[in-house]
């Protein structure tokens, strides 16, 4: 049985306008996303900006309520729980946000932030909180004198380390990392990623890792979902990415990926066409306006994730003939 399971998740944001501020339409941020994560696994979610990755992560932690669909965590349907009933799960599910500065309270020191969550969730006895805070700061590579500093006194990498310490201080089981290194300097990204990998093993975490960088996802994750315009277009183990990717969008992302050896550089394949508006998505395949191999039925019939091989699914009429079943 899967540890985390999302089934047909949908999130539509209403758009209002006119004199009476009435709903004139909806932004289709996430459209029918289904996946499973096993305990101890790291699932990557990759795609362009605006494809619904962050919205998906926020729904899993219930910062956003889904329009429809279900989220099961450890065989409990979180979408049916009230605010009070969700409280025991707030400790078990944590999120690391993309912007390390806006995620921190500028009026609180590092010690105050950590002490607040540790006391609220009763992680350790009151007499042990100080030692526990010191140990968490040490685990993320921050010195003890960081306790008295405010967020503006840290560098970007240090602020993200503090965010990681705050998330892990409540001993969670499932962590959503929403592009945790995209706002950092290139020089510190590898350090923070290596820290996350070490802490995942130490705390025995299950991770959902959101990123727009295929190389990072391939290195960091066990499996990946490729999202486009709010839908999952391909799912596969990361080791299959380069050799077995089937969907035209996934192959386009791979062609835009920097190569390690300049002598193996290939011609960049630029996608033509316009990205559809999430306010008015296509009736058929969401990728149809940019797909180089689109057929007539792609305009009218939307493919669902069909089986290509074991643990490999693709939402394309040409690459997965079973996608309509």
């Amino acid at each position: 049985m899967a540890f985390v399971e999302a089934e047909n998740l949908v999130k539509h944001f209403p758009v209002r306008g006119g004199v009476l501020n009435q709903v004139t339409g909806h932004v289709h941020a996430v459209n029918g996303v289904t996946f499973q994560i096993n305990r101890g696994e790291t699932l990557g979610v990759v795609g362009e900006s605006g494809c619904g990755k962050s919205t998906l992560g926020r729904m899993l932690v219930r910062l956003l309520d889904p329009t429809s669909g279900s989220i099961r965590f450890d065989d409990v349907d979180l979408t049916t729980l009230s605010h009070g009933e969700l409280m025991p799960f707030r400790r078990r599910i944590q999120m690391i946000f993309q912007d390390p500065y806006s995620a921190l309270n500028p009026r609180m020191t590092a010690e105050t932030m950590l002490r607040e969550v540790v006391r609220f969730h009763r992680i350790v006895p009151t007499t042990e909180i100080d030692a526990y805070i010191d140990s968490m700061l040490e685990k993320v590579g921050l010195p003890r004198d960081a306790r008295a500093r405010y967020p503006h006194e840290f560098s970007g990498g240090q602020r993200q380390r503090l965010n990681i310490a705050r998330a892990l201080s409540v001993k969670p089981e499932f962590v959503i990392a929403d592009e945790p290194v995209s706002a950092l300097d290139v020089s510190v990204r590898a350090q923070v990623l290596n820290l996350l990998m070490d802490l995942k093993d130490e705390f025995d975490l299950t991770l959902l890792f959101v990123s727009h960088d295929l190389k990072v996802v391939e290195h960091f994750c066990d499996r990946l979902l490729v999202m486009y315009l709010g839908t999952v277009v391909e799912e596969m183990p990361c080791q299959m990415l380069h050799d077995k990717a089937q969907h035209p969008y996934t192959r386009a992302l791979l062609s835009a990926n920097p190569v390690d050896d300049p002598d193996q550089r290939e011609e960049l394949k630029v996608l033509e066409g316009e990205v559809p508006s999430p306010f008015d998505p296509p009736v058929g395949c969401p990728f149809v306006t940019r797909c180089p191999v689109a057929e007539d039925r792609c305009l009218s019939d939307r493919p669902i994730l069909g089986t290509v091989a074991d643990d490999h699914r693709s939402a394309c009429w040409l690459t997965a003939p079973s996608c309509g079943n």
Side-chain angles (χ1 to χ4, degrees), residues 144-160:
R144 289 189 179 184
D145 61 11
R147 292 174 57 139
R149 297 187 204 169
Y150 288 89
H152 71 272
E153 298 178 282
F154 292 104
S155 67
Q158 289 175 325
R159 283 196 287 264
Q160 194 61 293

Side-chain angles (χ1 to χ4, degrees), residues 51-68:
C51 71
K53 307 184 301 295
S54 294
T55 301
L56 176 64
R58 288 170 182 263
M59 281 195 291
L60 293 178
V61 79
R62 283 294 304 273
L63 289 177
L64 292 174
D65 291 327
T67 303
S68 62

Side-chain angles (χ1 to χ4, degrees), residues 11-311:
K11 182 60 180 180
H12 294 167
F13 293 99
V15 177
R16 298 180 178 274
V19 177
L20 300 178
N21 197 32
Q22 294 179 322
V23 175
T24 59
H26 291 84
V27 172
H28 297 244
V30 176
N31 290 310
V33 170
T34 298
F35 63 87
Q36 296 180 345
I37 311 177
N38 297 319
R39 188 182 287 272
E41 188 179 31
T42 300
L43 178 67
V45 181
V46 68
E48 295 172 287
S49 297
C51 71
K53 307 184 301 295
S54 294
T55 301
L56 176 64
R58 288 170 182 263
M59 281 195 291
L60 293 178
V61 79
R62 283 294 304 273
L63 289 177
L64 292 174
D65 291 327
T67 303
S68 62
S70 65
I71 303 165
R72 299 191 70 84
F73 172 74
D74 201 12
D75 206 29
V76 177
D77 189 349
L78 300 183
T79 54
T80 64
L81 302 182
S82 65
H83 176 73
E85 292 169 331
L86 272 172
M87 290 309 295
F89 295 93
R90 296 294 188 193
R91 183 196 65 78
R92 300 177 65 189
I93 305 174
Q94 287 290 304
M95 190 165 187
I96 300 169
F97 295 93
Q98 179 178 359
D99 185 352
Y101 189 74
S102 63
L104 299 172
N105 188 330
R107 298 176 181 271
M108 285 187 175
T109 63
E111 177 183 359
T112 306
M113 280 185 271
L114 294 178
R115 184 180 296 276
E116 182 180 58
V117 295
V118 171
R119 289 186 62 185
F120 180 83
H121 291 286
R122 300 177 181 177
I123 303 302
V124 295
T126 304
T127 55
E128 300 176 12
I129 290 180
D130 285 333
Y132 185 72
I133 290 174
D134 287 339
S135 70
M136 288 306 304
L137 291 175
E138 182 180 356
K139 287 181 187 297
V140 298
L142 291 175
R144 289 189 179 184
D145 61 11
R147 292 174 57 139
R149 297 187 204 169
Y150 288 89
H152 71 272
E153 298 178 282
F154 292 104
S155 67
Q158 289 175 325
R159 283 196 287 264
Q160 194 61 293
R161 289 172 184 268
L162 180 57
N163 272 312
I164 294 170
R166 184 177 60 177
L168 299 188
S169 64
V170 297
K171 300 181 180 179
E173 300 169 51
F174 177 44
V175 173
I176 297 118
D178 182 13
E179 302 203 43
V181 297
S182 64
L184 306 180
D185 293 339
V186 175
S187 58
V188 298
R189 288 182 183 180
Q191 299 174 21
V192 175
L193 283 173
N194 289 332
L195 172 66
L196 279 173
M197 293 178 71
D198 293 340
L199 292 175
K200 175 190 179 298
D201 294 336
E202 181 177 349
F203 286 83
D204 194 21
L205 299 173
T206 302
L207 285 178
L208 181 84
F209 187 85
V210 175
S211 179
H212 62 270
D213 191 329
L214 269 179
K215 277 191 172 293
V216 170
V217 169
E218 184 182 14
H219 172 70
F220 191 77
C221 303
D222 302 308
R223 288 187 300 121
L224 81 155
L225 304 177
V226 181
M227 288 190 67
Y228 183 82
L229 204 66
T231 65
V232 175
V233 297
E234 192 156 17
E235 176 186 0
M236 72 182 81
C238 287
Q239 70 229 27
M240 298 171 56
L241 179 60
H242 284 280
D243 298 329
K244 302 293 186 181
Q246 295 290 315
H247 197 279
Y249 179 61
T250 309
R251 294 201 298 267
L253 290 178
L254 284 170
S255 73
N257 223 20
V259 296
D260 297 327
D261 186 354
D263 294 332
Q264 297 181 356
R265 185 178 302 160
E266 298 180 358
E267 183 181 354
L268 179 64
K269 299 175 183 177
V270 179
L271 288 173
E272 299 179 354
E274 296 292 330
V275 180
S277 169
F279 183 77
D280 185 23
V283 176
C285 175
F287 191 56
V288 68
T289 59
R290 303 170 74 192
C291 183
V293 295
E295 298 181 342
D296 289 342
R297 63 175 171 177
C298 301
L299 294 168
S300 56
D301 300 330
R302 171 162 295 199
I304 60 174
L305 280 176
T307 301
V308 177
D310 290 341
D311 299 325

